[in-house]
Each structure stands twice: as C-alpha cells, then as structure tokens.
Amino acid sequence: MADPIYAFRPEWAPLWLFNLSALGLGAVAGLILHELVTRAIRRSLRGKDTYWSTLLVKLRRPSRLAALILGLAVGASFAQLGEGGVAALRRILAVAFVILVGWSALTALDIWSLLHVRRFKLDAEDNLLARKHVTQTRILTRTAGILIVILTAGFALMTFPGVRQYGISLLASAGAAGIIAGLALQPFLTNLIAGVQIATTQPIRIDDAVIVENEWGQIEEITSTYVVVRLWDWRRMVLPLTYFIQQPFQNWTRETASLIGTVMLYVDYTAPVDVLRAKLEEITRASPLWDGQVVNLAVTETSERTMQVRCLVSARNAPTTFDLRCEVREKMIAFLQSEMPQVLPKDRLDAEARLKGSPPGLGNPVSG
C-alpha cells in the first residue's frame, strides 16, 4: 500500500518537479504568512514603545528567513525525498533555525543596549549616573552576547547525532572536552567573570579618572576581557579586567567628579601666613576653574630651614582640578617673588655672614 502522503503527487508529474513544487509552495506560503503577521504586528505597535518598533524593523530579515525555513520544512513533509532526504533536509533547516534564533537574540540585545544608553549623556557636566549605566550596559551586553553565541553553537551541534555529545558538553561544561576547554579558556573565563563583577559592583566606570601603575588617565573602554585607560599624554594602557578586581588603584571619580587639589609651598619662617591665606583666596575666587567649595591654606610641616604651606582648592572634575592647581601654584610663586621675596627659602648662615662682612658660607672669622 502506498504512503498516503505520496497520493498528493499526480501520476503525470515527474518526481523532481513535484518535489521542487512542494518545497517552493511551502517557501512561498511561509513568506506570505510572514508578511501578514508582520503587518499585523506593525499595526498593533503603532504609537507604542520605540524598542519594539525598532526591533520589528531590525528582525525583518532574520524573521523572513525563519518563515522561509518553516515553509520549507512543511513542504519537505509533502515532497517525496525518501526518509534519508527528509531527515537531512530537516536537520539542515533545524541548524539554520537555531542560528537565526541566536542572530535574533543578539539583534534584540544590541537594540536594547543602544536605546538604553541613548538616554544618558557622557558629555554632561555631572555624568556620574550616565557613566554608571553605560558601563553596566556595555559589559553585560558583551557578556550576554558571548553566552548567546555559546548556547547557539551548543544547540546547533545537538541537532547532529554524531556530535551531539559535544553540544551537550558545550552547554553543560561537563566531560573531558569541557574540562580541557575550561582549562584552555581559564584566563578568558576569569576575565569574563571579572567583567560581571565590575558591571555589578562598579569599582570603575567609563570616563572615570584613575591612577594605575603610577599613571594618571581615564577609562576609555571596557571590553569583556580588558580595560583601555587613556593616559594624560594620549598613550593607551591596556589592562586585564582582573587587574581592577585584584590590584589596588585610585579612582578619583568613584562617587563624584569633584576633587580637591593640593599645592605645596616652602617659605621662610618669617612669611606672614595670614597674608598668604588671603592671597590664595583672592586667586582662587577670581579663577573660573574653582567650583566654589574648598579653598584653604595651612602650615602642615616645618623643617630646620623652612615651613611647608599647603594650599587646598577644589574643582568640578580631575582635569579642571589639575589646571587650577597649576594656576594657583604659578600665581602664588609670582606673588612671593614680586611682593615678598624676603620670605623665599634662604640659607640663614650665609645671610648672617653677609651682614657681618664675612665671605658667604664661612661664618664668623676666628680671631687669632
């Protein structure tokens, strides 16, 4: 008795023509169904959230291919390809469908991350919240993308009986192959886990001002395995993610971008501290770089010849603080040179010798 499915083929039609027609009609039916569903979804999303509308546009090609695969699978059920031919075609279509699902998931992830990051401006004056969200989004998006690729490859391998165990091993990270791969990828996996830690705890963020390896710079890029620090002289320092989990470093913008800068002056004991303090306040208040928060002068240390005067000033971010420190240092030195040169550090022994007429550096002459 003939297979009921084969009853669809007319006696006059050649086998190759019937099979081609069955697959073609299935493909056309899948594409028509895709177009109808897409139009219905577009009408339902009209005026709705931007994410879903953008996602529908970006997924138009992969969803069309998915509908084509579904139509070919249905057509293969009616075509007379034999058991081996149908099984091979369905396996190929299954692999293609798994890849399309992974592709769609990556596309949806990218669209979400772009729309989420678009709400924040890194070039704003107070960009702490923006840096927080941008850092989390970039790290977690890259990590999720890697996981999607691994899952897609695992499910694709599981469609083939001969290599199904490798797909299971890839998904479950078990067996000898999983152990070998785990050992070989240990640095990569360690940095991947460190990336998740950084995204959640956020010891660093994009555009943070940091000091690493005795170098000052800003966090320019955070990938799934390494961090790029743009140094003050435009060099780039590349560090593994684990560095910021295992090594101490300075983050100047962890909670706020504002910083206090320090300027050290060394003057003679005769220097009038009140006059220096007033001059510091005058210079600072006149500077557009000052944020209006901190300005202070105090004697913090003394030696046998000089006293150390510390000037504190604050600014809205690290680069501005550096510029303000330079301005204060230059103007305070100029003030001392022009108005009070007598308070600059000097050798008291030489000064006393000059007053008494002895050669400098010899002190008082010894009478014979």
Side-chain angles (χ1 to χ4, degrees), residues 2-20:
D3 194 323
I5 293 180
Y6 292 170
F8 286 100
R9 181 168 74 91
E11 296 183 358
W12 55 266
L15 181 60
W16 66 269
L17 180 60
F18 176 76
N19 291 340
L20 185 61

Side-chain angles (χ1 to χ4, degrees), residues 284-295 313-316 320 324:
T284 306
R285 296 182 189 281
S287 174
L289 303 177
W290 186 49
D291 63 357
Q293 296 187 33
V294 176
V295 53
V313 290
S314 63
R316 59 184 179 272
T320 307
L324 180 59

Side-chain angles (χ1 to χ4, degrees), residues 267-272 336-346 348:
V267 295
D268 188 75
Y269 276 89
T270 60
L336 292 175
Q337 290 174 339
S338 61
E339 302 295 332
M340 292 187 292
Q342 71 277 7
V343 304
L344 295 174
K346 54 181 173 288
R348 292 184 177 275

Side-chain angles (χ1 to χ4, degrees), residues 27-296:
V28 171
L31 294 176
I32 293 175
L33 179 63
H34 171 267
E35 188 64 26
L36 294 176
V37 172
T38 301
R39 289 185 179 182
I41 295 176
R42 188 184 296 113
R43 282 195 297 268
S44 63
L45 292 178
R46 190 169 297 165
K48 295 292 183 64
D49 188 77
T50 306
Y51 171 73
W52 296 107
S53 301
T54 307
L55 183 62
L56 181 65
V57 174
K58 294 293 184 180
L59 291 182
R60 186 174 181 84
R61 292 174 60 187
S63 61
R64 186 186 291 116
L65 291 176
L68 180 62
I69 291 172
L70 181 62
L72 290 174
V74 174
S77 302
F78 293 93
Q80 299 179 15
L81 301 175
E83 294 184 2
V86 172
L89 180 59
R90 286 182 175 176
R91 189 169 294 118
I92 294 173
L93 294 178
V95 172
F97 185 78
V98 169
I99 294 174
L100 282 174
V101 170
W103 180 13
S104 301
L106 288 174
T107 302
L109 183 65
D110 289 339
I111 293 174
W112 174 84
S113 64
L114 288 175
L115 293 178
H116 181 70
V117 170
R118 186 184 298 174
R119 298 185 299 169
F120 306 97
K121 301 296 183 182
L122 285 175
D123 55 355
E125 186 67 32
D126 185 5
N127 62 355
L128 180 62
L129 183 63
R131 291 188 287 109
K132 175 181 177 181
H133 283 274
V134 170
T135 301
Q136 283 183 332
T137 302
R138 288 185 181 180
I139 296 178
L140 293 179
T141 298
R142 290 190 177 100
T143 303
I146 293 173
L147 293 177
I148 290 174
V149 172
I150 293 175
L151 291 174
T152 302
F155 282 117
L157 290 174
M158 288 177 63
T159 59
F160 296 93
V163 293
R164 182 170 297 170
Q165 65 273 18
Y166 297 106
I168 296 174
S169 176
L170 184 62
L171 292 176
S173 298
I179 294 174
I180 294 173
L183 292 175
L185 297 175
Q186 184 177 1
F188 171 77
L189 296 176
T190 302
N191 281 292
L192 191 64
I193 296 172
V196 176
Q197 289 181 275
I198 288 176
T200 53
T201 61
Q202 293 206 334
I204 56 172
R205 304 184 184 97
I206 297 295
D207 209 36
D208 266 348
V210 296
I211 293 182
V212 290
E213 301 294 317
N214 297 320
E215 296 274 9
W216 183 90
Q218 290 180 289
I219 303 297
E220 183 178 53
E221 183 181 3
I222 302 177
T223 70
S224 55
T225 55
Y226 62 87
V227 176
V228 179
V229 181
R230 185 181 68 252
L231 302 182
W232 66 273
D233 57 358
W234 296 353
R235 290 177 295 148
R236 264 60 173 180
M237 180 182 292
V238 181
L239 299 166
L241 281 175
T242 52
Y243 179 93
F244 295 93
I245 300 296
Q246 301 172 356
Q247 302 293 330
F249 65 95
Q250 295 184 36
N251 189 335
W252 288 10
T253 53
R254 177 68 177 84
E255 297 296 336
T256 178
S258 298
L259 287 174
I260 296 177
T262 304
V263 175
M264 292 298 185
L265 300 175
Y266 297 89
V267 295
D268 188 75
Y269 276 89
T270 60
V273 177
D274 291 340
V275 175
L276 296 179
R277 183 177 291 114
K279 186 61 178 179
L280 173 65
E281 292 185 2
E282 176 188 339
I283 294 172
T284 306
R285 296 182 189 281
S287 174
L289 303 177
W290 186 49
D291 63 357
Q293 296 187 33
V294 176
V295 53
N296 184 42

